[in-house]
Amino acid sequence: MTDLLTAAQMRTLEGAEIGAGRVTGMELMERAGRGVVAAMFDEWPALARAPQRAVVLCGPGNNGGDGFVVARLLKEWGWEVAAFLYGEAGKLPPDAKANYQRWSALGATRPLAEAQDIGEGALVVDALFGTGLTRPLEGLLRETVARRAARCVAIDIPSGLCADSGRVLGAAMRADLTVSFHSAKPGHYLADGPDHCGVLRVADIGLPPGAPEAITLCPAPDAATLAKRAGGHKYRHGHALIVSGGAGRTGAARLAARAALRIGAGVVTLGVPGSAQQEVACQIAALMLRRVEDGAGLAAMLADPRITALCLGPGLGLARARDLVPVACGGADPRATVLDADALTAFEDDPGALFAMLHGACVLTPHQGEFARLFPDLAARLAAPPTKGPAYSRVDAARAAARRAGCVVLLKGPDTVIAAPDGRCSLHAAQYDRAAPWLATAGSGDVLAGIITGLMARGLAPVQAAEGAAWLHVEAARVFGPGLIAEDLPETLPQVLRALGGGGTT
């Protein structure tokens, strides 16, 4: 797992290292500045050939101090450098002031108000505000970040972007390259972050790994976990039940079922009402078919102990969902359960009734609209314009939702957040080198629900299944590429599994 540290966690880590005498603030600032310059030259090798021209915009805190290090290093490299400061040099923090003085031996610093030419061909280094921004940018700052530079490098995070939430505080710089330190921050991946960061690089500044309660980036699932055990029969690999809607509404459940089968569930059964039996029977082969007319029919089917996971919601219909969800979530032996789509919307008038039914082996998979129906107060906080930093984030909302529901919540989007009731949280962002815009197609969410169900049928814990499914879902889209439709995702999973080494046996 790759940790994403909030601004507060990063300050705590740096403070602990400085307090223990293992590093000084000046050393960290020098490493940060050198990391920025190295990333610039690596991203744009032509810049290593002096002379070039840079405009360095420095703020009143330690981010500004990093900027003065960069200004000095570029000047020593032979660049023409113009430095500008927002605020008074005498009020800079000690380390930033020391680096301002080192820069002053090489060049002048002018007030930010005089930085009128940042868009005239120079490379702009944004060192105005880093991870500690607590208020929206206004006035001169808003005007400055609104100017579009020919090429812009942001130190740590583009000024005006909240490092914890990725939300814009008033206005934000648009960078072509963002260089963060030690670890990426949640705001690089959430909300508006990717749109403002450009290319994201993380520079090592010599700090130790790890932070308590850190958000993590979902890694590729472990190949051994996805492999099938040698010598096992089909039920040893789990039996997933996907319940469908009525006639003309079975496509979503069939997509989910196909995905559950492709991800390795040994048996996948579609539970359908009588009105849809012929429709479904004409379109399936490897999938099993059973009649599930109502709650009593579902209860009878769940008497089979070999069923290890079930999925309700895709194409289910609201009335059918209200009848079946209590049966799926109740009983003396509740199974691993994925609730998606209609299984969520059916309870928008009384979310508390749904939450009272849920158990720890449930996974809810709402998109933003469904999330707002179940958690309207949390969604309203997300929709409100942020007035201070750190701003309320999708991580905050998903964690609160998981605590309220008492189960894992996977909040879908380009920045998918997976939260557990105990506060554990991970993020899978289809951004940067994992961008998958082709997933914006009808039915892709049904496939995701099916992958989670299949993995839980095989015995994976809810968090592990949700994280693995989020990664596999995006990877399948990336492997297939342009022209993707939802039906392609399950059929691409074998190729993804082979690449992981998960197609073998254990």
Side-chain angles (χ1 to χ4, degrees):
M1 290 282 192
T2 300
D3 288 343
L4 302 177
L5 300 190
T6 65
Q9 289 169 332
M10 190 68 186
R11 285 194 298 271
T12 297
L13 179 60
E14 290 176 333
E17 291 299 294
I18 292 171
R22 288 186 283 267
V23 70
T24 68
M26 280 290 286
E27 287 172 333
L28 289 178
M29 207 167 277
E30 184 71 16
R31 294 172 190 173
R34 291 186 180 278
V36 171
V37 173
M40 286 168 44
F41 290 171
D42 185 61
E43 181 66 21
W44 302 303
L47 294 186
R49 298 192 294 271
Q52 306 278 348
R53 180 168 172 264
V55 171
V56 184
L57 308 178
C58 299
N62 284 328
N63 196 248
D66 296 337
F68 286 119
V69 174
V70 172
R72 172 175 55 80
L73 293 174
L74 292 179
K75 185 74 171 180
E76 292 171 349
W77 197 265
W79 284 44
E80 177 187 341
V81 180
F84 297 86
L85 174 64
Y86 177 72
E88 301 176 25
K91 295 183 178 180
L92 287 167
D95 294 328
K97 184 184 292 185
N99 276 307
Y100 162 78
Q101 291 167 344
R102 291 187 71 186
W103 156 252
S104 296
L106 300 175
T109 303
R110 293 152 57 191
L112 183 65
E114 297 180 15
Q116 302 300 321
D117 58 349
I118 67 170
E120 297 182 4
L123 180 140
V124 173
V125 178
D126 170 20
L128 287 168
F129 293 94
T131 60
L133 184 65
T134 58
R135 66 183 190 278
L137 301 188
E138 298 175 344
L140 172 62
L141 291 170
R142 188 183 186 104
E143 294 172 7
T144 301
V145 302
R147 298 181 197 133
R148 186 68 180 102
R151 189 177 280 171
C152 177
V153 178
I155 295 182
D156 222 352
I157 198 159
S159 292
L161 197 66
C162 173
D164 288 2
S165 70
R167 302 179 70 186
V168 172
L169 294 171
M173 189 75 80
R174 287 189 182 274
D176 300 286
L177 170 66
T178 296
V179 186
S180 192
F181 310 117
H182 179 63
S183 78
K185 312 305 182 290
H188 292 130
Y189 290 94
L190 292 167
D192 302 307
D195 191 43
H196 283 262
C197 289
V199 175
L200 176 63
R201 299 288 188 94
V202 177
D204 181 12
I205 55 173
L207 295 176
E213 298 184 358
I215 304 160
T216 56
L217 278 181
C218 295
D222 178 57
T225 301
L226 298 176
K228 287 199 169 184
R229 297 179 294 276
H233 55 75
K234 57 182 178 289
Y235 286 108
R236 188 177 177 186
H237 302 296
H239 181 182
L241 170 63
I242 316 292
V243 184
S244 92
R249 295 179 56 88
T250 66
R254 284 187 282 111
L255 282 170
R258 185 76 174 178
L261 194 62
R262 280 293 190 191
I263 206 60
V267 181
V268 179
T269 296
L270 274 163
V272 304
S275 64
Q277 277 187 279
Q278 184 173 356
E279 173 185 319
V280 173
C282 290
Q283 301 188 63
I284 64 172
L287 299 169
M288 307 293 284
L289 176 63
R290 288 284 300 275
R291 182 167 178 167
V292 175
E293 194 68 49
D294 52 19
L298 179 59
M301 189 156 184
L302 290 178
D304 183 348
R306 295 175 300 181
I307 294 174
T308 50
L310 61 158
C311 173
L312 289 86
L316 190 61
L318 301 183
R320 188 161 163 80
R322 284 188 286 269
D323 181 34
L324 298 182
V325 169
V327 177
C329 294
D333 183 26
R335 318 297 164 83
T337 303
V338 176
L339 298 181
D340 185 39
D342 289 343
L344 305 177
T345 299
F347 296 90
E348 65 179 321
D349 294 334
D350 188 6
L354 174 63
F355 302 153
M357 304 175 200
L358 301 177
H359 52 80
C362 290
V363 177
L364 309 185
T365 58
H367 57 52
Q368 191 62 44
E370 292 157 351
F371 186 87
R373 293 174 196 130
L374 291 183
F375 307 98
D377 56 326
L378 305 180
R381 291 187 67 183
L382 276 178
T387 58
K388 63 179 181 179
Y392 195 71
S393 74
R394 281 169 59 85
V395 166
D396 297 322
R399 277 177 162 161
R403 287 193 297 270
R404 188 177 301 177
C407 67
V408 170
V409 172
L410 182 149
L411 178 53
K412 291 186 286 197
D415 48 351
T416 291
V417 181
I418 300 158
D422 62 6
R424 284 177 295 162
C425 190
S426 55
L427 172 63
H428 188 280
Q431 309 282 10
Y432 304 112
D433 61 344
R434 288 193 60 74
W438 313 287
L439 279 174
T441 186
S444 64
D446 304 318
V447 173
L448 176 62
I451 298 173
I452 299 170
T453 306
L455 290 174
M456 289 206 297
R458 297 185 61 187
L460 273 68
V463 168
Q464 187 182 16
E467 290 175 341
W471 191 94
L472 291 162
H473 188 240
V474 168
E475 188 66 11
R478 293 180 65 246
V479 167
F480 190 93
L484 174 83
I485 58 175
E487 289 94 324
D488 300 319
L489 289 165
E491 309 318 306
T492 309
L493 283 172
Q495 184 178 349
V496 172
L497 295 174
R498 283 193 296 272
L500 283 173
T505 59
T506 60

